[in-house]
Amino acid sequence: MPDTAAPTGTIAQQRNADRELNASRLLRASAKHSHDPLTEVDWTAPVDPDHYALPAHRVTLYGTPLWERLDERQRAQLSVHQLASTTAAGIWFELVLMEGLIRHVYANDLTTGHAQYALTEVADECRHSTMFARYITATGYPSARPTRRADRLGRLHFLLNDTTMTFAGAIFVEEFTDAMQREMIRDESLQPLARSVARIHVIEEARHIGYAKPELERRWARMTPVRRAVFRRALALLARQSVAEIVNPRVYALAGLDPTEAARAAAANPHWRQARIDWSRKALDFFTDLGIIAPSTTRHWQRASLLP
């Protein structure tokens, strides 16, 4: 889906100036506050099997009859596997995002701060993906690969090469993850390794959100009404599939549960529905303010349990 032509004259010049000002700020912040998870996280520390990785009420089966069948250690382990599954989905999305950012740089002037920050973000995401993979290995979760459904969606995105969707998807996924991980950081009872990973990710993703939001605002302002209508539906689909990806049914099999039965219980669980609504709120408020979420597409977000 090609973008519409850029505006000309003084409006375009002001937008480019604003773009460069934002990039300069983000580059300075990156120079001061970037982290190396390979040296800053204690990967040698043992993972306590009785430590939750997520708050109990944010585990998909919390409050269900299946939850009551699990002992406390099984519940903690389910939380660890749920976070590992979410982390695996994070690697999938970061690879898609990096590909989109590289294409974005390829189409821009690399002497600009805007393009240089995109490369800085790619470097951040490379470290994050490595960090996530190390976390998955530490927990014993068996795979960092996406589901076949997610793999197909990622390949479709590569074919469409829709940079605007890349930025919108980044905002949704990163705000969703940020809300989840801020809860983890605040809860000192949780697994130290999970909280260390969350802390680094939250610090650096704040800059990525600050890069994507004004870029989406500029691109949305230039869209035709027809393109906006298509974009609204496509983003709702992307968000729904992204959230579906974060809990692979194998997490239930690892807990000794029937994956089909457990997935049904999670889908009907009001506690898990509320978690998704809470973690999506900032992104959806932003999309609503821009006009991306409109009455015509609200039901799609509600069906995905991302809006009340």
Side-chain angles (χ1 to χ4, degrees):
M1 299 180 186
D3 294 314
T4 55
T8 59
T10 57
I11 294 177
Q13 291 170 353
Q14 184 59 52
R15 287 178 177 174
N16 287 335
D18 291 344
R19 207 185 207 190
E20 286 298 282
L21 186 63
N22 187 49
S24 178
R25 177 183 63 82
L26 294 171
L27 285 166
R28 289 195 303 271
S30 295
K32 292 180 180 179
H33 303 294
S34 290
H35 297 271
D36 182 356
L38 295 183
T39 60
E40 295 182 36
V41 175
D42 184 2
W43 298 106
T44 64
V47 177
D48 187 337
D50 293 317
H51 260 128
Y52 281 73
L54 292 165
H57 71 287
R58 297 308 201 185
V59 180
T60 61
L61 296 179
Y62 176 80
T64 67
L66 289 180
W67 181 259
E68 298 305 320
R69 281 167 41 185
L70 302 175
D71 63 33
E72 195 62 18
R73 175 167 288 189
Q74 288 175 313
R75 292 172 181 174
Q77 197 60 34
L78 178 59
S79 79
V80 171
H81 287 150
Q82 179 177 322
L83 181 61
S85 174
T86 301
T87 301
I91 294 174
W92 161 70
F93 187 79
E94 287 185 342
L95 291 173
V96 173
L97 172 59
M98 284 188 277
E99 195 270 354
L101 287 171
I102 291 295
R103 292 193 190 214
H104 181 56
V105 169
Y106 191 81
N108 279 273
D109 180 359
L110 197 53
T111 65
T112 64
H114 180 78
Q116 290 168 20
Y117 182 76
L119 291 179
T120 302
E121 183 170 336
V122 170
D124 290 345
E125 298 295 14
C126 284
R127 293 193 302 273
H128 295 170
S129 293
T130 302
M131 175 175 69
F132 288 168
R134 290 288 294 269
Y135 178 75
I136 291 167
T137 300
T139 65
Y141 189 72
S143 176
R145 288 291 304 153
T147 62
R148 286 193 295 270
R149 176 186 58 206
D151 183 56
R152 289 194 298 269
L153 183 61
R155 292 176 188 275
L156 175 62
H157 185 72
F158 295 156
L159 289 173
L160 294 175
N161 188 24
D162 189 335
T163 305
T164 308
M165 185 60 70
T166 296
F167 284 114
I171 292 165
F172 175 77
V173 172
E174 289 173 356
E175 288 281 30
F176 186 97
T177 306
D178 182 80
M180 178 189 75
Q181 291 179 328
R182 286 181 186 275
E183 288 188 12
M184 294 168 58
I185 294 168
R186 290 192 296 267
D187 191 339
E188 296 183 1
S189 72
L190 298 180
Q191 181 191 89
L193 179 60
R195 293 177 69 232
S196 294
V197 169
R199 180 184 60 83
I200 289 175
H201 196 243
V202 162
I203 291 170
E204 298 191 334
E205 289 299 322
R207 299 194 294 268
H208 302 175
I209 295 168
Y211 183 71
K213 282 186 173 180
E215 189 64 19
L216 180 60
E217 288 173 342
R218 283 188 287 268
R219 289 166 175 267
W220 178 255
R222 290 156 46 190
M223 281 189 192
T224 65
V226 171
R227 175 137 159 70
R228 285 187 175 192
V230 173
F231 188 87
R232 287 186 177 106
R233 292 178 178 272
L235 179 59
L237 174 62
L238 173 63
R240 181 174 185 172
Q241 293 301 319
S242 297
V243 173
E245 181 68 12
I246 67 175
V247 184
N248 191 299
R250 71 164 61 95
V251 303
Y252 304 124
L254 291 169
L257 300 171
D258 176 77
T260 302
E261 179 188 10
R264 282 199 301 264
N269 186 1
H271 298 288
W272 177 230
R273 176 184 175 84
Q274 189 60 51
R276 287 174 288 175
I277 290 172
D278 290 345
W279 294 340
S280 301
R281 184 169 290 117
K282 284 186 71 175
L284 270 58
D285 284 349
F286 177 72
F287 293 151
T288 300
D289 289 344
L290 273 187
I292 293 176
I293 296 180
S296 61
T297 54
T298 296
R299 67 184 184 280
H300 297 297
W301 296 91
Q302 291 171 330
R303 287 174 185 168
S305 296
L306 301 175
L307 273 178

